[in-house]
Short mmCIF file of all heavy atoms in Angstrom, two decimals:
data_model
loop_
_atom_site.label_atom_id
_atom_site.label_comp_id
_atom_site.label_asym_id
_atom_site.label_seq_id
_atom_site.Cartn_x
_atom_site.Cartn_y
_atom_site.Cartn_z
N VAL A 83 -4.77 -12.36 12.11
CA VAL A 83 -6.04 -11.93 12.87
C VAL A 83 -7.22 -12.87 12.53
O VAL A 83 -7.85 -13.22 13.48
CB VAL A 83 -6.17 -10.48 12.62
CG1 VAL A 83 -7.64 -10.06 13.09
CG2 VAL A 83 -5.19 -9.52 13.14
N TYR A 84 -7.43 -13.21 11.27
CA TYR A 84 -8.68 -13.86 11.03
C TYR A 84 -8.48 -15.44 10.96
O TYR A 84 -9.19 -16.05 11.75
CB TYR A 84 -9.09 -13.43 9.58
CG TYR A 84 -9.56 -12.07 9.70
CD1 TYR A 84 -8.77 -10.98 8.93
CD2 TYR A 84 -10.55 -11.47 10.35
CE1 TYR A 84 -9.19 -9.65 9.00
CE2 TYR A 84 -10.91 -10.20 10.34
CZ TYR A 84 -10.21 -9.33 9.68
OH TYR A 84 -10.49 -7.95 9.73
N LEU A 85 -7.57 -15.91 10.28
CA LEU A 85 -7.48 -17.44 10.01
C LEU A 85 -6.99 -18.06 11.34
O LEU A 85 -7.66 -19.01 11.93
CB LEU A 85 -6.56 -17.71 8.91
CG LEU A 85 -6.37 -19.10 8.57
CD1 LEU A 85 -7.85 -19.57 8.07
CD2 LEU A 85 -5.44 -19.43 7.44
N VAL A 86 -5.92 -17.65 11.86
CA VAL A 86 -5.38 -18.17 13.14
C VAL A 86 -6.34 -18.10 14.25
O VAL A 86 -6.45 -18.90 15.02
CB VAL A 86 -4.02 -17.50 13.40
CG1 VAL A 86 -3.43 -18.00 14.85
CG2 VAL A 86 -2.98 -17.71 12.43
N SER A 87 -7.11 -16.95 14.42
CA SER A 87 -8.01 -16.71 15.51
C SER A 87 -9.15 -17.75 15.46
O SER A 87 -9.52 -18.34 16.44
CB SER A 87 -8.64 -15.27 15.42
OG SER A 87 -7.72 -14.36 15.63
N ILE A 88 -9.60 -18.00 14.30
CA ILE A 88 -10.72 -18.94 14.19
C ILE A 88 -10.22 -20.45 14.40
O ILE A 88 -10.91 -21.19 15.08
CB ILE A 88 -11.42 -18.82 12.75
CG1 ILE A 88 -12.17 -17.46 12.70
CG2 ILE A 88 -12.21 -19.94 12.53
CD1 ILE A 88 -12.73 -17.28 11.43
N ILE A 89 -9.02 -20.69 13.94
CA ILE A 89 -8.52 -22.07 14.10
C ILE A 89 -8.32 -22.35 15.60
O ILE A 89 -8.60 -23.51 16.25
CB ILE A 89 -7.22 -22.31 13.24
CG1 ILE A 89 -7.59 -22.38 11.75
CG2 ILE A 89 -6.47 -23.56 13.72
CD1 ILE A 89 -6.47 -22.43 10.85
N VAL A 90 -7.66 -21.49 16.37
CA VAL A 90 -7.31 -21.55 17.70
C VAL A 90 -8.58 -21.64 18.52
O VAL A 90 -8.78 -22.45 19.40
CB VAL A 90 -6.38 -20.43 18.22
CG1 VAL A 90 -6.43 -20.43 19.78
CG2 VAL A 90 -5.10 -20.50 17.56
N SER A 91 -9.52 -20.84 18.12
CA SER A 91 -10.92 -20.78 18.82
C SER A 91 -11.58 -22.17 18.66
O SER A 91 -12.25 -22.67 19.51
CB SER A 91 -11.79 -19.65 18.35
OG SER A 91 -11.20 -18.44 18.63
N ILE A 92 -11.50 -22.78 17.44
CA ILE A 92 -12.21 -24.01 17.26
C ILE A 92 -11.44 -25.13 18.04
O ILE A 92 -12.17 -26.05 18.63
CB ILE A 92 -12.15 -24.37 15.73
CG1 ILE A 92 -13.24 -23.43 14.98
CG2 ILE A 92 -12.54 -25.75 15.51
CD1 ILE A 92 -13.21 -23.61 13.46
N ILE A 93 -10.23 -25.00 18.07
CA ILE A 93 -9.48 -26.07 18.81
C ILE A 93 -9.82 -25.98 20.40
O ILE A 93 -10.06 -26.96 20.97
CB ILE A 93 -7.97 -25.91 18.62
CG1 ILE A 93 -7.58 -26.47 17.23
CG2 ILE A 93 -7.11 -26.81 19.56
CD1 ILE A 93 -6.16 -26.10 16.89
N VAL A 94 -9.77 -24.82 20.83
CA VAL A 94 -10.22 -24.59 22.24
C VAL A 94 -11.61 -24.95 22.50
O VAL A 94 -11.94 -25.67 23.50
CB VAL A 94 -10.02 -23.05 22.63
CG1 VAL A 94 -10.69 -22.70 24.05
CG2 VAL A 94 -8.46 -22.67 22.67
N SER A 95 -12.52 -24.70 21.62
CA SER A 95 -13.85 -25.10 21.76
C SER A 95 -14.08 -26.52 21.81
O SER A 95 -14.86 -27.06 22.49
CB SER A 95 -14.77 -24.52 20.68
OG SER A 95 -14.71 -23.06 20.80
N VAL A 96 -13.35 -27.28 20.87
CA VAL A 96 -13.39 -28.74 20.91
C VAL A 96 -12.96 -29.30 22.26
O VAL A 96 -13.56 -30.25 22.76
CB VAL A 96 -12.73 -29.26 19.70
CG1 VAL A 96 -12.52 -30.80 19.76
CG2 VAL A 96 -13.42 -28.90 18.38
N PHE A 97 -11.89 -28.79 22.66
CA PHE A 97 -11.28 -29.25 23.99
C PHE A 97 -12.27 -29.08 25.05
O PHE A 97 -12.52 -29.87 25.91
CB PHE A 97 -9.93 -28.62 24.22
CG PHE A 97 -9.49 -28.98 25.56
CD1 PHE A 97 -8.79 -30.09 25.82
CD2 PHE A 97 -9.42 -27.94 26.68
CE1 PHE A 97 -8.29 -30.49 27.04
CE2 PHE A 97 -8.93 -28.33 27.88
CZ PHE A 97 -8.27 -29.60 28.09
N ILE A 98 -12.89 -27.78 25.17
CA ILE A 98 -13.84 -27.43 26.23
C ILE A 98 -15.03 -28.29 26.15
O ILE A 98 -15.65 -28.80 27.19
CB ILE A 98 -14.18 -26.00 26.20
CG1 ILE A 98 -13.07 -25.14 26.51
CG2 ILE A 98 -15.36 -25.66 27.10
CD1 ILE A 98 -12.47 -25.28 27.83
N ASP A 99 -15.58 -28.61 24.94
CA ASP A 99 -16.69 -29.44 24.67
C ASP A 99 -16.45 -30.98 25.19
O ASP A 99 -17.26 -31.61 25.73
CB ASP A 99 -17.08 -29.45 23.25
CG ASP A 99 -18.44 -30.24 23.04
OD1 ASP A 99 -19.44 -29.90 23.78
OD2 ASP A 99 -18.46 -30.98 22.02
N CYS A 100 -15.18 -31.43 24.92
CA CYS A 100 -14.89 -32.84 25.50
C CYS A 100 -14.74 -32.80 26.86
O CYS A 100 -15.11 -33.75 27.55
CB CYS A 100 -13.59 -33.26 24.94
SG CYS A 100 -13.48 -33.54 23.13
N VAL A 101 -14.33 -31.74 27.53
CA VAL A 101 -14.24 -31.80 29.04
C VAL A 101 -15.50 -31.46 29.68
O VAL A 101 -15.87 -32.26 30.58
CB VAL A 101 -13.15 -30.67 29.55
CG1 VAL A 101 -13.14 -30.53 30.84
CG2 VAL A 101 -11.77 -30.93 28.93
N PHE A 102 -16.30 -30.50 29.34
CA PHE A 102 -17.56 -30.11 29.90
C PHE A 102 -18.79 -30.75 29.40
O PHE A 102 -19.81 -30.91 30.04
CB PHE A 102 -17.72 -28.71 30.05
CG PHE A 102 -16.62 -27.97 30.93
CD1 PHE A 102 -15.71 -27.31 30.39
CD2 PHE A 102 -16.73 -28.12 32.30
CE1 PHE A 102 -14.73 -26.68 31.21
CE2 PHE A 102 -15.80 -27.40 33.11
CZ PHE A 102 -14.80 -26.77 32.49
N SER A 103 -18.90 -31.13 28.15
CA SER A 103 -20.05 -31.63 27.37
C SER A 103 -21.18 -30.71 27.55
O SER A 103 -22.35 -31.19 27.70
CB SER A 103 -20.31 -33.01 27.89
OG SER A 103 -19.21 -33.86 27.53
N ASN A 104 -21.11 -29.39 27.58
CA ASN A 104 -22.15 -28.57 27.62
C ASN A 104 -21.96 -27.48 26.52
O ASN A 104 -20.99 -26.75 26.29
CB ASN A 104 -21.93 -27.66 28.95
CG ASN A 104 -23.22 -26.84 29.29
OD1 ASN A 104 -23.94 -26.35 28.33
ND2 ASN A 104 -23.45 -26.49 30.55
N GLU A 105 -23.17 -27.45 25.66
CA GLU A 105 -22.95 -26.48 24.43
C GLU A 105 -22.83 -25.03 24.80
O GLU A 105 -22.25 -24.38 24.15
CB GLU A 105 -24.32 -26.73 23.60
CG GLU A 105 -24.41 -28.09 22.91
CD GLU A 105 -25.58 -28.26 22.12
OE1 GLU A 105 -26.42 -27.32 21.93
OE2 GLU A 105 -25.81 -29.40 21.68
N PHE A 106 -23.58 -24.64 25.88
CA PHE A 106 -23.50 -23.24 26.25
C PHE A 106 -22.08 -22.79 26.60
O PHE A 106 -21.60 -21.79 26.18
CB PHE A 106 -24.49 -23.03 27.31
CG PHE A 106 -24.47 -21.45 27.75
CD1 PHE A 106 -25.12 -20.57 26.97
CD2 PHE A 106 -23.85 -21.14 28.96
CE1 PHE A 106 -25.03 -19.15 27.44
CE2 PHE A 106 -23.86 -19.76 29.38
CZ PHE A 106 -24.47 -18.76 28.51
N VAL A 107 -21.49 -23.53 27.38
CA VAL A 107 -20.11 -23.38 27.81
C VAL A 107 -19.10 -23.28 26.64
O VAL A 107 -18.20 -22.41 26.51
CB VAL A 107 -19.56 -24.34 28.92
CG1 VAL A 107 -18.12 -24.20 29.19
CG2 VAL A 107 -20.51 -24.24 30.16
N THR A 108 -19.40 -24.21 25.68
CA THR A 108 -18.48 -24.32 24.46
C THR A 108 -18.64 -23.08 23.70
O THR A 108 -17.74 -22.48 23.14
CB THR A 108 -18.87 -25.62 23.71
OG1 THR A 108 -18.72 -26.69 24.39
CG2 THR A 108 -18.02 -25.69 22.37
N ILE A 109 -19.89 -22.68 23.45
CA ILE A 109 -20.15 -21.42 22.65
C ILE A 109 -19.53 -20.23 23.29
O ILE A 109 -18.84 -19.39 22.62
CB ILE A 109 -21.62 -21.22 22.39
CG1 ILE A 109 -22.16 -22.42 21.46
CG2 ILE A 109 -21.88 -19.96 21.75
CD1 ILE A 109 -23.65 -22.50 21.23
N MET A 110 -19.63 -20.09 24.58
CA MET A 110 -19.07 -18.97 25.37
C MET A 110 -17.61 -18.91 25.23
O MET A 110 -17.03 -18.03 25.10
CB MET A 110 -19.69 -18.96 26.78
CG MET A 110 -21.13 -18.64 26.93
SD MET A 110 -21.61 -17.05 26.22
CE MET A 110 -20.70 -15.88 27.14
N CYS A 111 -17.01 -20.17 25.43
CA CYS A 111 -15.46 -20.24 25.33
C CYS A 111 -15.04 -19.74 23.92
O CYS A 111 -14.02 -19.14 23.76
CB CYS A 111 -15.04 -21.61 25.66
SG CYS A 111 -15.12 -21.89 27.48
N PHE A 112 -15.84 -20.23 22.86
CA PHE A 112 -15.44 -19.84 21.48
C PHE A 112 -15.45 -18.29 21.21
O PHE A 112 -14.42 -17.79 20.82
CB PHE A 112 -16.43 -20.52 20.48
CG PHE A 112 -16.18 -20.22 19.09
CD1 PHE A 112 -15.16 -20.84 18.36
CD2 PHE A 112 -16.91 -19.37 18.37
CE1 PHE A 112 -14.86 -20.64 17.11
CE2 PHE A 112 -16.66 -19.05 17.13
CZ PHE A 112 -15.59 -19.69 16.32
N ILE A 113 -16.58 -17.74 21.68
CA ILE A 113 -16.63 -16.26 21.58
C ILE A 113 -15.57 -15.54 22.44
O ILE A 113 -14.96 -14.53 21.88
CB ILE A 113 -18.13 -15.87 21.92
CG1 ILE A 113 -19.08 -16.37 21.00
CG2 ILE A 113 -18.21 -14.31 22.15
CD1 ILE A 113 -20.49 -16.24 21.35
N LEU A 114 -15.43 -15.96 23.71
CA LEU A 114 -14.36 -15.27 24.49
C LEU A 114 -12.95 -15.39 24.03
O LEU A 114 -12.20 -14.59 24.09
CB LEU A 114 -14.52 -15.81 25.92
CG LEU A 114 -15.77 -15.32 26.80
CD1 LEU A 114 -15.78 -16.13 28.04
CD2 LEU A 114 -15.85 -13.92 26.89
N CYS A 115 -12.79 -16.54 23.37
CA CYS A 115 -11.47 -16.91 22.82
C CYS A 115 -11.18 -15.93 21.66
O CYS A 115 -10.05 -15.35 21.46
CB CYS A 115 -11.29 -18.30 22.41
SG CYS A 115 -9.60 -18.87 21.88
N ILE A 116 -12.04 -15.77 20.82
CA ILE A 116 -11.93 -14.88 19.59
C ILE A 116 -11.81 -13.46 20.20
O ILE A 116 -10.80 -12.69 19.61
CB ILE A 116 -13.12 -14.90 18.63
CG1 ILE A 116 -13.13 -16.23 17.91
CG2 ILE A 116 -13.24 -13.75 17.72
CD1 ILE A 116 -14.18 -16.51 16.99
N ILE A 117 -12.49 -12.96 21.09
CA ILE A 117 -12.40 -11.66 21.65
C ILE A 117 -11.01 -11.40 22.22
O ILE A 117 -10.32 -10.38 22.07
CB ILE A 117 -13.52 -11.35 22.63
CG1 ILE A 117 -14.83 -11.22 21.97
CG2 ILE A 117 -13.26 -9.99 23.41
CD1 ILE A 117 -16.06 -11.22 22.85
N ALA A 118 -10.58 -12.34 23.13
CA ALA A 118 -9.27 -12.22 23.68
C ALA A 118 -8.14 -12.23 22.61
O ALA A 118 -7.16 -11.35 22.70
CB ALA A 118 -9.07 -13.44 24.56
N GLN A 119 -8.28 -12.95 21.53
CA GLN A 119 -7.24 -12.98 20.55
C GLN A 119 -7.20 -11.64 19.89
O GLN A 119 -6.13 -11.25 19.39
CB GLN A 119 -7.51 -14.24 19.60
CG GLN A 119 -7.14 -15.47 20.26
CD GLN A 119 -7.41 -16.65 19.26
OE1 GLN A 119 -7.16 -16.52 18.01
NE2 GLN A 119 -7.93 -17.70 19.70
N PHE A 120 -8.34 -11.11 19.53
CA PHE A 120 -8.41 -9.77 18.90
C PHE A 120 -7.73 -8.66 19.65
O PHE A 120 -6.99 -7.98 19.04
CB PHE A 120 -9.77 -9.42 18.44
CG PHE A 120 -10.35 -10.00 17.32
CD1 PHE A 120 -11.66 -10.49 17.23
CD2 PHE A 120 -9.58 -10.04 16.07
CE1 PHE A 120 -12.10 -11.05 16.07
CE2 PHE A 120 -10.01 -10.63 14.96
CZ PHE A 120 -11.32 -11.11 14.90
N PHE A 121 -7.84 -8.72 21.00
CA PHE A 121 -7.21 -7.79 21.89
C PHE A 121 -5.72 -8.02 21.84
O PHE A 121 -4.87 -7.05 21.89
CB PHE A 121 -7.77 -7.69 23.29
CG PHE A 121 -9.14 -6.99 23.24
CD1 PHE A 121 -10.28 -7.62 23.56
CD2 PHE A 121 -9.10 -5.56 23.16
CE1 PHE A 121 -11.44 -6.96 23.70
CE2 PHE A 121 -10.27 -4.88 23.24
CZ PHE A 121 -11.55 -5.56 23.47
N LEU A 122 -5.36 -9.27 21.99
CA LEU A 122 -3.84 -9.65 21.97
C LEU A 122 -3.23 -9.29 20.61
O LEU A 122 -2.25 -8.61 20.63
CB LEU A 122 -3.77 -11.11 22.20
CG LEU A 122 -2.37 -11.63 22.23
CD1 LEU A 122 -1.52 -11.08 23.34
CD2 LEU A 122 -2.30 -13.14 22.21
N TYR A 123 -3.94 -9.64 19.50
CA TYR A 123 -3.32 -9.23 18.14
C TYR A 123 -3.18 -7.72 18.08
O TYR A 123 -2.27 -7.16 17.36
CB TYR A 123 -4.17 -9.94 17.08
CG TYR A 123 -3.99 -11.44 17.11
CD1 TYR A 123 -5.04 -12.16 16.53
CD2 TYR A 123 -2.72 -12.05 17.39
CE1 TYR A 123 -4.84 -13.49 16.49
CE2 TYR A 123 -2.72 -13.41 17.42
CZ TYR A 123 -3.68 -14.18 16.93
OH TYR A 123 -3.60 -15.54 16.81
N ARG A 124 -4.15 -7.08 18.47
CA ARG A 124 -4.17 -5.53 18.39
C ARG A 124 -2.98 -4.96 19.20
O ARG A 124 -2.41 -4.09 18.57
CB ARG A 124 -5.49 -5.09 18.92
CG ARG A 124 -5.69 -3.57 18.87
CD ARG A 124 -7.02 -3.14 19.33
NE ARG A 124 -7.23 -1.66 19.18
CZ ARG A 124 -8.11 -1.07 19.60
NH1 ARG A 124 -9.10 -1.52 20.20
NH2 ARG A 124 -8.12 0.23 19.44
N LEU A 125 -2.73 -5.40 20.29
CA LEU A 125 -1.46 -4.96 20.96
C LEU A 125 -0.24 -5.32 20.42
O LEU A 125 0.67 -4.50 20.11
CB LEU A 125 -1.53 -5.50 22.36
CG LEU A 125 -2.56 -5.12 23.31
CD1 LEU A 125 -2.47 -5.83 24.64
CD2 LEU A 125 -2.49 -3.55 23.56
N LEU A 126 -0.14 -6.50 19.74
CA LEU A 126 1.06 -6.96 19.06
C LEU A 126 1.27 -6.27 17.74
O LEU A 126 2.40 -5.84 17.42
CB LEU A 126 1.02 -8.56 18.81
CG LEU A 126 1.03 -9.41 20.14
CD1 LEU A 126 0.86 -10.85 19.68
CD2 LEU A 126 2.35 -9.19 20.90
N ALA A 127 0.19 -6.04 16.99
CA ALA A 127 0.35 -5.55 15.66
C ALA A 127 0.64 -3.96 15.63
O ALA A 127 1.47 -3.61 14.90
CB ALA A 127 -0.97 -5.84 14.84
N PHE A 128 0.03 -3.25 16.50
CA PHE A 128 0.26 -1.87 16.54
C PHE A 128 1.63 -1.42 16.91
O PHE A 128 2.01 -0.42 16.37
CB PHE A 128 -0.81 -1.21 17.31
CG PHE A 128 -2.08 -1.39 16.87
CD1 PHE A 128 -3.17 -1.19 17.64
CD2 PHE A 128 -2.40 -1.62 15.51
CE1 PHE A 128 -4.56 -1.30 17.20
CE2 PHE A 128 -3.61 -1.82 15.04
CZ PHE A 128 -4.75 -1.65 15.92
N THR A 129 2.36 -2.28 17.65
CA THR A 129 3.66 -1.84 18.12
C THR A 129 4.58 -2.05 16.94
O THR A 129 5.77 -1.48 16.81
CB THR A 129 4.21 -2.67 19.29
OG1 THR A 129 4.07 -4.06 18.98
CG2 THR A 129 3.36 -2.31 20.50
#
Side-chain angles (χ1 to χ4, degrees):
V83 169
Y84 296 110
L85 188 63
V86 173
S87 295
I88 291 176
I89 291 172
V90 169
S91 297
I92 289 172
I93 291 171
V94 168
S95 297
V96 168
F97 175 75
I98 295 294
D99 190 47
C100 291
V101 172
F102 291 109
S103 298
N104 187 341
E105 290 179 9
F106 180 73
V107 173
T108 303
I109 293 171
M110 291 305 295
C111 286
F112 179 79
I113 293 170
L114 291 175
C115 189
I116 286 181
I117 292 171
Q119 288 178 40
F120 278 134
F121 282 113
L122 178 67
Y123 292 146
R124 185 174 176 186
L125 292 175
L126 294 175
F128 293 157
T129 57

